[in-house]
Amino acid sequence: MLSSLSRLAAGTVAVLALSAGAVTAVPAAAQPSPSRWTAAQGQVSARVELTGGSLTLAVVRGGRTVLAPAAVGLHTAEVDLSTGLRVVDVDRRTVVERYRMTTGKRLERSARMSELRLALRGAGDAAMDLVVRVARDGVAYRYELPAPLTVTGEASAFTLPADAPAWLLPYNSYYEQNRVATTAAGAAAGDFGNPSLFQVGEDFALLTESDVDGRYSGSRLRHAAGSPTYQVVLADAEVTARRTPWRTAIVGDLATVTESTLVDDLASPSRVRDTSWVRPGKVAWSWLSDHPSPSDFARQKDFVDFAARNNWYAVLVDEGWSAEWVPELVRYARARGVEILLWFHWNRLDTAEERDTTLPLVKSWGVRGVKLDFMESDSQARYQWYDAVLAKTAELELMVNFHGSTIPHGLARTWPHIMTMEAVRGAENYPLPANNPVQAFTRNVVGSMDYTPVSLDTGIHRASIAHEVALAVVYESGWQHFADMPEAYERRPEALRYLNQLPTAWDETQLVAGHPGSGAVFARRGGDRWFLGAIASGEARTVTAPLRFLGPGRWLVEVVRDGEEPRGDLVRSARVLTNRDTLAIDVPSDGGFAAVACRARPGRSTCYLPPRHVPASALSVTPAGEVDVAKGEAVEVTAVFSADREVRDVRLAPVVPEGWSVHGREVTRHRLPAGEELRGRWTVRVGQGSAEGYVDLPVVATFDAAGWPDRVHVEEAVRLFVPPPPLNGTPFVSEVPFVTETNGWGPVERDRSVGESDAGDGNPLTIDGVVYDRGLGTHAPANVTVYLGQRCSRFTALLGLDDETSEPGSVAFQVVGDGEPLFDSGVLRPGPALPVDLDVTGVRMLSLRVTDGGDNKNFDHADWAEARLTC
């Protein structure tokens, strides 16, 4: 009797195909014992046993039991599929897949797995398949159902020897605790996060899960005091599903575990057909080292200039950026060959409407990727959000960094525009160097890790400079966000020169030496160069690195190590070696070193490649100032472009919003010599359905430049203002369209207090016990601009701090007309509302501003109660 789930019939012969993503079958083996089944690849085998209606699974490597028999089964609201089971059919096949990643420890992947499928029946003839896959680097299993059932839990568990050393992560939903070294049975009672590492004699087992998405719930491992068993526990009390993720054990020696791609091998294939727009790379990140800087346009330009000088891919603008200047920053950066990435709190994108408006907007600015933060949940609902936001960002060709997130579960294979995920106690938590080695053997095994390494002047200064620099090799991340400021790197030119050489996606990775408790030495190949990173924790010592990973022949090996000055620059030395040699480097306490190796040849003195830069260019546009253009009206736009060296295939044209029209053709030039100008002139007409307010009309020059891999994008914008309908009567400001809006926390609220970070979550406007029906709820620092069009004569309001805060704040209210100050309240604290009545005759733009009172923005909920205009 065959299972109700589709499968190859026993005895079917299929040709072993090796095409990308192919799933293939081989002849079934002879029917095994009715109560015990085995699947194997290389030294690793899985043994499934049915005893008294209950299933167990054990993992063996080289004849040694690594995972003892532990329960397998599924609990559902409809039927218990963990007991009373019988096997009605057995199927075997070999799964062979080849695929390419955009990030990771190895770009080209090849997986070969033996699959055992047991068709099971339980009470009432309820059906379930247990699918087991075995690879040379581990074992995984999942449950599949013929129809959705309400899963209330799993019997799934893993059992280790009681005294097995363990490196465990006390669970929280954002995976940022310090790992603890313990034993399987000696660990504290409670929940531990994936992945969890255990040592069983000469073997290691890393327990985790793969292929988790919105069809199921995330999980963790629960441990009872004194028990060697770890139970899989779901984040949700129940979840309706037809299949589960893969319960995964990566098994082998330390090299096998750290080099494993099993989690990705088990994941669903890519849903993105064309990945040519996906770019890993080095990223300058200012938030940790210069916390106010994400709100400072000029300071972000410093980071852009630094990235351009050093050929880093992008700048991440973290919490605090403003829509008022980000488009201009993007234009500034792209002209210099640098991309801009933007930070978002995940709840800014937690609805389809927000995703459909916010993401296309930042895409229209030229932003290349987003950092999404504070998801902090393994629930099915949050995984469904991951699914939705990944689908939308893929559609828009926006790359993604998940921060405050779950761990990777093979997501970067399914969605190759995921560049990295956090789920680690990274540099922003100032971890001690003793916590650094274990991350390479645990968290980073399962996917790119946004640790934000290389803190030189920021942080606690416990690890040596060479240790910090080596982290950029030891830790893999498709986007490697470096944690310090430009000045810190430029004070150490040898350290910076080494960082500038590093790829962030690798052709090959090998563990050279190390142990979770003491240190790690990794070699990673990018093209024809090998990079070596070594970190140690604890006392000063000699760290050795056998060079067996190098190919035959002679290699030039350049080493950077700590100098005599503890926080000073690195020292670089070079020598010719072979793969029979071993590097032996003396390192200080919590020290390390890094190296690069390339083929030695006559006349070659360095492996370092010169940095690449885009041509310096100039693009000027007219009109140069802000221009009012009503719907249906036209404006003439001109542009002049030139570059300081020859560029090719130049294209120059305006990019108009949907519904607008442009008269005039794109200007092109096959070859534009250095210094020669390319000019264009166009008539642009505003669409009748145009949005009102400020509209940036970009004029874009794109071109190819010798030595630069991508097409260069240079853009300047004509600043237009499309006026809203004229104001009449005595409208409340909460009824008037906002031209611009910024707020210190959440959006500005109309006729409510600011509340929390979501729109519409405020309370009635209340100042000193008095409730007001109309007004604006803001949080310092805030700025709301409305268009008066010189049609209004008076502005009145009652100003004060809202009563909703639990602790008192302090703010200052300011009113500005066309850039000129009209009113300043001075610092206000909780108390009665302050009335304001101002003459605004002749004012075109009125700005209502709130500052933090000089003592930070905490509790600064500021109300413009009964704010009204006379027009």
Side-chain angles (χ1 to χ4, degrees):
M1 178 177 179
L2 294 177
S3 165
S4 60
L5 300 180
S6 62
R7 59 170 56 83
L8 294 175
T12 298
V13 178
V15 177
L16 186 64
L18 296 179
S19 60
V23 176
T24 62
V26 296
Q31 187 73 4
S33 161
S35 60
R36 185 177 296 113
W37 301 266
T38 300
Q41 274 286 332
Q43 298 185 71
V44 179
S45 62
R47 297 177 181 175
V48 181
E49 186 167 335
L50 180 65
T51 305
S54 295
L55 284 169
T56 60
L57 184 144
V59 176
V60 175
R61 180 175 186 262
R64 303 177 297 274
T65 298
V66 180
L67 298 176
V72 172
L74 203 58
H75 306 299
T76 79
E78 295 83 0
V79 61
D80 189 352
L81 292 170
S82 67
T83 61
L85 299 173
R86 65 187 191 281
V87 175
V88 298
D89 189 36
V90 179
D91 183 62
R92 297 177 183 275
R93 65 174 185 165
T94 298
V95 178
V96 178
E97 295 185 335
R98 288 183 177 173
Y99 60 97
R100 180 174 175 82
M101 297 286 287
T102 57
T103 61
K105 64 187 78 172
R106 188 164 63 249
L107 295 178
E108 296 291 344
R109 305 287 179 87
S110 179
R112 183 183 181 91
M113 294 174 280
S114 298
E115 183 178 283
L116 168 68
R117 181 184 290 266
L118 300 181
L120 302 160
R121 293 291 186 273
D125 210 34
M128 177 181 73
D129 280 11
L130 172 68
V131 185
V132 181
R133 287 188 180 176
V134 182
R136 292 179 179 272
D137 53 349
V139 172
Y141 64 90
R142 77 180 338 162
Y143 311 103
E144 297 184 1
L145 301 164
L149 293 178
T150 304
V151 177
T152 57
E154 297 183 20
S156 312
F158 300 96
T159 298
L160 290 302
D163 60 351
W167 292 268
L168 305 180
L169 180 72
Y171 178 79
N172 62 30
S173 58
Y174 43 98
Y175 296 83
E176 291 185 27
Q177 298 278 32
N178 283 324
R179 288 188 177 265
V180 294
T182 180
T183 62
D191 290 352
F192 295 95
N194 295 311
S196 290
L197 181 66
F198 300 85
Q199 182 175 0
V200 184
E202 60 190 271
D203 302 305
F204 289 79
L206 186 70
L207 307 182
T208 188
E209 56 184 347
S210 176
D211 206 26
V212 192
D213 57 25
R215 293 171 291 182
Y216 205 69
S217 174
S219 73
R220 51 191 179 268
L221 298 173
R222 181 161 294 168
H223 177 246
S227 171
T229 296
Y230 287 75
Q231 176 73 43
V232 174
V233 177
L234 304 185
D236 292 301
E238 59 181 42
V239 56
T240 301
R242 286 192 61 175
R243 72 174 194 180
T244 71
W246 294 100
R247 304 292 159 227
T248 306
I250 301 172
V251 174
D253 57 20
L254 270 182
T256 300
V257 169
T258 53
E259 297 165 21
S260 171
T261 61
L262 183 59
V263 168
D264 292 332
D265 296 342
L266 293 162
S268 297
S270 175
R271 299 184 189 178
V272 181
R273 187 179 299 273
D274 174 20
T275 60
S276 60
W277 52 276
V278 178
R279 289 286 188 275
K282 295 181 283 285
V283 181
W285 175 56
S286 69
W287 181 88
L288 183 62
S289 61
D290 190 354
H291 193 65
S293 65
S295 60
D296 185 338
F297 172 57
R299 184 57 171 154
Q300 289 306 304
K301 289 174 69 175
D302 292 340
F303 277 81
V304 168
D305 292 339
F306 170 76
R309 288 194 297 272
N310 293 283
N311 194 27
W312 290 16
Y313 173 71
V315 169
L316 168 63
V317 189
D318 214 286
E319 178 187 15
W321 59 266
S322 169
E324 293 183 356
W325 52 256
V326 162
E328 184 178 349
L329 180 69
V330 173
R331 292 191 286 270
Y332 181 86
R334 297 186 78 183
R336 289 155 178 78
V338 177
E339 302 293 351
I340 294 297
L341 317 174
L342 287 185
W343 176 94
F344 284 90
H345 195 292
W346 81 276
N347 63 17
R348 289 278 307 278
L349 300 169
D350 63 349
T351 67
E353 181 182 6
E354 288 173 330
R355 293 188 290 272
D356 289 344
T357 55
T358 301
L359 292 173
L361 175 62
V362 300
K363 173 70 175 181
S364 73
W365 296 343
V367 169
R368 289 299 305 275
V370 291
K371 173 183 176 179
L372 307 179
D373 207 347
F374 295 112
M375 286 73 71
E376 298 181 359
S377 173
D378 280 311
S379 67
Q380 182 184 32
R382 197 57 43 85
Y383 276 103
Q384 290 169 342
W385 174 85
Y386 280 107
D387 293 346
V389 80
L390 284 168
K392 189 63 182 182
T393 49
E395 173 192 328
L396 295 169
E397 298 188 351
L398 288 169
M399 293 169 280
V400 177
N401 165 19
F402 286 123
H403 219 62
S405 69
T406 187
I407 60 167
H409 302 113
L411 270 179
R413 178 185 177 186
T414 309
W415 298 103
H417 60 303
I418 298 176
M419 294 290 95
T420 190
M421 300 175 74
E422 188 187 24
V424 66
R425 190 171 180 82
E428 65 187 65
N429 292 295
Y430 303 131
L432 295 172
N435 297 311
N436 288 346
V438 70
Q439 307 294 2
F441 299 101
T442 52
R443 162 62 184 85
N444 211 184
V445 172
V446 300
S448 288
M449 180 175 77
D450 193 23
Y451 180 92
T452 62
V454 197
S455 300
L456 304 183
D457 286 345
T458 193
I460 58 175
H461 299 172
R462 286 287 298 272
S464 77
I465 299 297
H467 180 121
E468 290 286 348
V469 169
L471 288 177
V473 180
V474 174
Y475 292 164
E476 179 274 316
S477 182
W479 279 342
Q480 194 72 277
H481 294 89
F482 291 120
D484 225 317
M485 62 181 67
E487 296 81 0
Y489 297 120
E490 289 173 335
R491 275 193 289 272
R492 301 168 178 91
E494 283 297 347
L496 179 58
R497 278 193 284 268
Y498 183 83
L499 294 176
N500 288 349
Q501 297 300 309
L502 292 177
T504 64
W506 302 96
D507 295 304
E508 191 176 350
T509 291
Q510 291 189 30
L511 175 67
V512 176
H515 185 271
S518 59
V521 184
F522 277 80
R524 302 189 192 268
R525 181 174 63 84
D528 59 0
R529 296 186 297 171
W530 281 94
F531 294 85
L532 189 73
I535 60 171
S537 63
E539 297 300 316
R541 73 189 76 165
T542 300
V543 175
T544 59
L547 301 180
R548 291 187 292 268
F549 57 89
L550 296 175
R554 302 168 71 246
W555 292 77
L556 177 63
V557 180
E558 295 180 80
V559 176
V560 288
R561 58 187 296 178
D562 290 297
E564 296 298 322
E565 185 182 345
R567 305 302 301 174
D569 197 11
L570 303 184
V571 175
R572 177 159 58 112
S573 61
R575 49 184 164 154
V576 175
L577 299 170
T578 73
N579 60 10
R580 297 185 299 275
D581 292 315
T582 296
L583 285 178
I585 307 294
D586 293 334
V587 303
S589 61
D590 297 321
F593 69 90
V596 58
C598 58
R599 291 284 184 181
R601 61 172 183 255
R604 188 174 207 172
S605 60
T606 182
C607 297
Y608 285 23
L609 303 177
R612 297 181 295 190
H613 301 101
V614 301
S617 61
L619 176 61
S620 60
V621 298
T622 62
E626 184 180 308
V627 178
D628 284 10
V629 185
K631 295 177 183 181
E633 293 184 352
V635 61
E636 187 174 83
V637 174
T638 67
V640 180
F641 171 79
S642 63
D644 70 345
R645 65 177 192 257
E646 180 181 286
V647 294
R648 292 181 177 271
D649 191 18
V650 187
R651 298 179 178 275
L652 179 65
V655 180
V656 300
E658 185 177 354
W660 293 33
S661 64
V662 58
H663 179 73
R665 295 182 178 180
E666 178 184 64
V667 181
T668 64
R669 184 75 64 84
H670 175 65
R671 171 180 167 272
L672 186 68
E676 189 170 310
E677 293 181 342
L678 184 65
R679 295 175 176 269
R681 183 184 299 272
W682 307 269
T683 299
V684 175
R685 188 170 300 277
V686 179
Q688 291 291 350
S690 170
E692 295 155 356
Y694 287 113
V695 178
D696 280 346
L697 179 66
V699 179
V700 175
T702 61
F703 57 89
D704 295 325
W708 190 258
D710 299 316
R711 194 156 174 80
V712 182
H713 180 110
V714 178
E715 177 181 314
E716 288 295 334
V718 175
R719 185 75 157 167
L720 304 179
F721 183 79
V722 180
L727 296 177
N728 292 291
T730 56
F732 288 102
V733 176
S734 58
E735 300 171 329
V736 175
F738 296 161
V739 174
T740 63
E741 168 198 348
T742 60
N743 209 38
W745 181 246
V748 173
E749 298 282 6
R750 297 175 187 263
D751 301 327
R752 301 190 70 80
S753 68
V754 77
E756 294 297 336
S757 60
D758 290 339
D761 65 0
N763 302 299
L765 295 162
T766 308
I767 302 174
D768 199 35
V770 180
V771 177
Y772 301 91
D773 293 332
R774 309 303 294 268
L776 304 181
T778 67
H779 190 301
N783 181 44
V784 174
T785 301
V786 294
Y787 179 70
L788 306 189
Q790 299 176 325
R791 294 180 58 89
C792 303
S793 59
R794 303 216 70 76
F795 167 76
T796 59
L798 296 167
L799 315 179
L801 282 109
D802 197 276
D803 291 355
E804 71 185 354
T805 57
S806 58
E807 296 185 38
S810 64
V811 299
F813 292 83
Q814 299 171 348
V815 181
V816 177
D818 296 330
E820 296 295 325
L822 304 178
F823 170 80
D824 190 325
S825 69
V827 176
L828 297 182
R829 301 185 186 279
L834 174 69
V836 60
D837 185 343
L838 300 175
D839 183 354
V840 293
T841 302
V843 171
R844 177 174 171 268
M845 292 284 183
L846 186 72
S847 296
L848 308 180
R849 300 175 182 175
V850 182
T851 71
D852 66 9
D855 60 353
N856 75 49
K857 67 179 185 180
N858 293 343
F859 314 108
D860 288 350
H861 292 220
D863 295 343
W864 298 81
E866 301 297 321
R868 198 164 198 165
L869 297 162
T870 301
C871 305

PDB file of all heavy atoms in Angstrom, residues 503-520:
ATOM      1  N   PRO A 503      37.443  40.550   0.214  1.00  0.00           N
ATOM      2  CA  PRO A 503      36.093  40.296  -0.287  1.00  0.00           C
ATOM      3  C   PRO A 503      35.167  40.050   0.918  1.00  0.00           C
ATOM      4  O   PRO A 503      35.628  39.915   2.059  1.00  0.00           O
ATOM      5  CB  PRO A 503      36.245  39.011  -1.114  1.00  0.00           C
ATOM      6  CG  PRO A 503      37.716  38.698  -1.152  1.00  0.00           C
ATOM      7  CD  PRO A 503      38.339  39.412  -0.002  1.00  0.00           C
ATOM      8  N   THR A 504      33.873  39.980   0.651  1.00  0.00           N
ATOM      9  CA  THR A 504      32.941  39.596   1.718  1.00  0.00           C
ATOM     10  C   THR A 504      32.096  38.395   1.320  1.00  0.00           C
ATOM     11  O   THR A 504      31.234  37.967   2.089  1.00  0.00           O
ATOM     12  CB  THR A 504      32.006  40.767   2.106  1.00  0.00           C
ATOM     13  OG1 THR A 504      31.182  41.103   0.986  1.00  0.00           O
ATOM     14  CG2 THR A 504      32.818  41.981   2.532  1.00  0.00           C
ATOM     15  N   ALA A 505      32.304  37.862   0.122  1.00  0.00           N
ATOM     16  CA  ALA A 505      31.703  36.589  -0.283  1.00  0.00           C
ATOM     17  C   ALA A 505      32.842  35.741  -0.823  1.00  0.00           C
ATOM     18  O   ALA A 505      33.746  36.258  -1.495  1.00  0.00           O
ATOM     19  CB  ALA A 505      30.621  36.795  -1.339  1.00  0.00           C
ATOM     20  N   TRP A 506      32.815  34.445  -0.548  1.00  0.00           N
ATOM     21  CA  TRP A 506      34.019  33.641  -0.676  1.00  0.00           C
ATOM     22  C   TRP A 506      33.818  32.460  -1.622  1.00  0.00           C
ATOM     23  O   TRP A 506      32.743  31.864  -1.680  1.00  0.00           O
ATOM     24  CB  TRP A 506      34.447  33.139   0.702  1.00  0.00           C
ATOM     25  CG  TRP A 506      34.679  34.268   1.665  1.00  0.00           C
ATOM     26  CD1 TRP A 506      33.805  34.755   2.575  1.00  0.00           C
ATOM     27  CD2 TRP A 506      35.859  35.068   1.761  1.00  0.00           C
ATOM     28  NE1 TRP A 506      34.366  35.812   3.257  1.00  0.00           N
ATOM     29  CE2 TRP A 506      35.628  36.025   2.783  1.00  0.00           C
ATOM     30  CE3 TRP A 506      37.091  35.072   1.112  1.00  0.00           C
ATOM     31  CZ2 TRP A 506      36.580  36.966   3.152  1.00  0.00           C
ATOM     32  CZ3 TRP A 506      38.043  36.014   1.479  1.00  0.00           C
ATOM     33  CH2 TRP A 506      37.782  36.947   2.488  1.00  0.00           C
ATOM     34  N   ASP A 507      34.885  32.127  -2.336  1.00  0.00           N
ATOM     35  CA  ASP A 507      34.879  30.955  -3.211  1.00  0.00           C
ATOM     36  C   ASP A 507      35.150  29.672  -2.443  1.00  0.00           C
ATOM     37  O   ASP A 507      34.760  28.588  -2.892  1.00  0.00           O
ATOM     38  CB  ASP A 507      35.931  31.119  -4.313  1.00  0.00           C
ATOM     39  CG  ASP A 507      35.595  32.280  -5.241  1.00  0.00           C
ATOM     40  OD1 ASP A 507      34.493  32.269  -5.800  1.00  0.00           O
ATOM     41  OD2 ASP A 507      36.429  33.188  -5.388  1.00  0.00           O
ATOM     42  N   GLU A 508      35.808  29.789  -1.314  1.00  0.00           N
ATOM     43  CA  GLU A 508      36.175  28.598  -0.549  1.00  0.00           C
ATOM     44  C   GLU A 508      36.503  29.008   0.872  1.00  0.00           C
ATOM     45  O   GLU A 508      37.029  30.103   1.106  1.00  0.00           O
ATOM     46  CB  GLU A 508      37.399  27.928  -1.206  1.00  0.00           C
ATOM     47  CG  GLU A 508      37.762  26.565  -0.706  1.00  0.00           C
ATOM     48  CD  GLU A 508      38.917  25.947  -1.484  1.00  0.00           C
ATOM     49  OE1 GLU A 508      39.303  26.501  -2.533  1.00  0.00           O
ATOM     50  OE2 GLU A 508      39.436  24.906  -1.028  1.00  0.00           O
ATOM     51  N   THR A 509      36.195  28.142   1.822  1.00  0.00           N
ATOM     52  CA  THR A 509      36.501  28.388   3.234  1.00  0.00           C
ATOM     53  C   THR A 509      37.056  27.122   3.854  1.00  0.00           C
ATOM     54  O   THR A 509      36.530  26.030   3.625  1.00  0.00           O
ATOM     55  CB  THR A 509      35.246  28.822   4.007  1.00  0.00           C
ATOM     56  OG1 THR A 509      34.840  30.128   3.579  1.00  0.00           O
ATOM     57  CG2 THR A 509      35.498  28.857   5.515  1.00  0.00           C
ATOM     58  N   GLN A 510      38.113  27.268   4.654  1.00  0.00           N
ATOM     59  CA  GLN A 510      38.658  26.133   5.393  1.00  0.00           C
ATOM     60  C   GLN A 510      38.982  26.556   6.818  1.00  0.00           C
ATOM     61  O   GLN A 510      39.514  27.655   7.049  1.00  0.00           O
ATOM     62  CB  GLN A 510      39.926  25.586   4.733  1.00  0.00           C
ATOM     63  CG  GLN A 510      39.691  24.904   3.402  1.00  0.00           C
ATOM     64  CD  GLN A 510      40.928  24.198   2.892  1.00  0.00           C
ATOM     65  OE1 GLN A 510      41.761  23.724   3.676  1.00  0.00           O
ATOM     66  NE2 GLN A 510      41.061  24.111   1.579  1.00  0.00           N
ATOM     67  N   LEU A 511      38.631  25.675   7.763  1.00  0.00           N
ATOM     68  CA  LEU A 511      39.117  25.846   9.134  1.00  0.00           C
ATOM     69  C   LEU A 511      40.555  25.374   9.181  1.00  0.00           C
ATOM     70  O   LEU A 511      40.864  24.249   8.790  1.00  0.00           O
ATOM     71  CB  LEU A 511      38.267  25.039  10.103  1.00  0.00           C
ATOM     72  CG  LEU A 511      38.760  25.039  11.558  1.00  0.00           C
ATOM     73  CD1 LEU A 511      38.635  26.427  12.183  1.00  0.00           C
ATOM     74  CD2 LEU A 511      37.996  24.005  12.390  1.00  0.00           C
ATOM     75  N   VAL A 512      41.444  26.227   9.663  1.00  0.00           N
ATOM     76  CA  VAL A 512      42.861  25.893   9.738  1.00  0.00           C
ATOM     77  C   VAL A 512      43.214  25.339  11.114  1.00  0.00           C
ATOM     78  O   VAL A 512      43.945  24.361  11.243  1.00  0.00           O
ATOM     79  CB  VAL A 512      43.715  27.136   9.418  1.00  0.00           C
ATOM     80  CG1 VAL A 512      45.205  26.847   9.579  1.00  0.00           C
ATOM     81  CG2 VAL A 512      43.410  27.619   7.995  1.00  0.00           C
ATOM     82  N   ALA A 513      42.668  25.941  12.149  1.00  0.00           N
ATOM     83  CA  ALA A 513      42.954  25.508  13.520  1.00  0.00           C
ATOM     84  C   ALA A 513      41.950  26.180  14.435  1.00  0.00           C
ATOM     85  O   ALA A 513      41.229  27.097  14.042  1.00  0.00           O
ATOM     86  CB  ALA A 513      44.381  25.889  13.925  1.00  0.00           C
ATOM     87  N   GLY A 514      41.899  25.702  15.682  1.00  0.00           N
ATOM     88  CA  GLY A 514      41.090  26.388  16.670  1.00  0.00           C
ATOM     89  C   GLY A 514      40.169  25.485  17.454  1.00  0.00           C
ATOM     90  O   GLY A 514      40.030  24.285  17.170  1.00  0.00           O
ATOM     91  N   HIS A 515      39.532  26.087  18.436  1.00  0.00           N
ATOM     92  CA  HIS A 515      38.616  25.394  19.338  1.00  0.00           C
ATOM     93  C   HIS A 515      37.643  26.444  19.877  1.00  0.00           C
ATOM     94  O   HIS A 515      38.035  27.602  20.111  1.00  0.00           O
ATOM     95  CB  HIS A 515      39.385  24.730  20.488  1.00  0.00           C
ATOM     96  CG  HIS A 515      38.520  23.913  21.382  1.00  0.00           C
ATOM     97  ND1 HIS A 515      37.884  24.440  22.480  1.00  0.00           N
ATOM     98  CD2 HIS A 515      38.179  22.600  21.337  1.00  0.00           C
ATOM     99  CE1 HIS A 515      37.189  23.484  23.086  1.00  0.00           C
ATOM    100  NE2 HIS A 515      37.357  22.354  22.413  1.00  0.00           N
ATOM    101  N   PRO A 516      36.368  26.094  20.102  1.00  0.00           N
ATOM    102  CA  PRO A 516      35.399  27.101  20.549  1.00  0.00           C
ATOM    103  C   PRO A 516      35.801  27.861  21.799  1.00  0.00           C
ATOM    104  O   PRO A 516      35.375  29.011  21.989  1.00  0.00           O
ATOM    105  CB  PRO A 516      34.131  26.269  20.803  1.00  0.00           C
ATOM    106  CG  PRO A 516      34.283  25.066  19.944  1.00  0.00           C
ATOM    107  CD  PRO A 516      35.746  24.768  19.903  1.00  0.00           C
ATOM    108  N   GLY A 517      36.596  27.258  22.645  1.00  0.00           N
ATOM    109  CA  GLY A 517      36.927  27.906  23.904  1.00  0.00           C
ATOM    110  C   GLY A 517      38.184  28.737  23.902  1.00  0.00           C
ATOM    111  O   GLY A 517      38.458  29.433  24.890  1.00  0.00           O
ATOM    112  N   SER A 518      38.976  28.696  22.804  1.00  0.00           N
ATOM    113  CA  SER A 518      40.280  29.347  22.897  1.00  0.00           C
ATOM    114  C   SER A 518      40.678  30.183  21.701  1.00  0.00           C
ATOM    115  O   SER A 518      41.424  31.150  21.846  1.00  0.00           O
ATOM    116  CB  SER A 518      41.360  28.284  23.128  1.00  0.00           C
ATOM    117  OG  SER A 518      41.361  27.329  22.067  1.00  0.00           O
ATOM    118  N   GLY A 519      40.248  29.827  20.507  1.00  0.00           N
ATOM    119  CA  GLY A 519      40.673  30.597  19.353  1.00  0.00           C
ATOM    120  C   GLY A 519      40.177  29.988  18.065  1.00  0.00           C
ATOM    121  O   GLY A 519      39.602  28.892  18.046  1.00  0.00           O
ATOM    122  N   ALA A 520      40.383  30.719  16.975  1.00  0.00           N
ATOM    123  CA  ALA A 520      39.941  30.240  15.672  1.00  0.00           C
ATOM    124  C   ALA A 520      40.862  30.802  14.599  1.00  0.00           C
ATOM    125  O   ALA A 520      41.214  31.989  14.637  1.00  0.00           O
ATOM    126  CB  ALA A 520      38.504  30.661  15.395  1.00  0.00           C
TER     127      ALA A 520
END
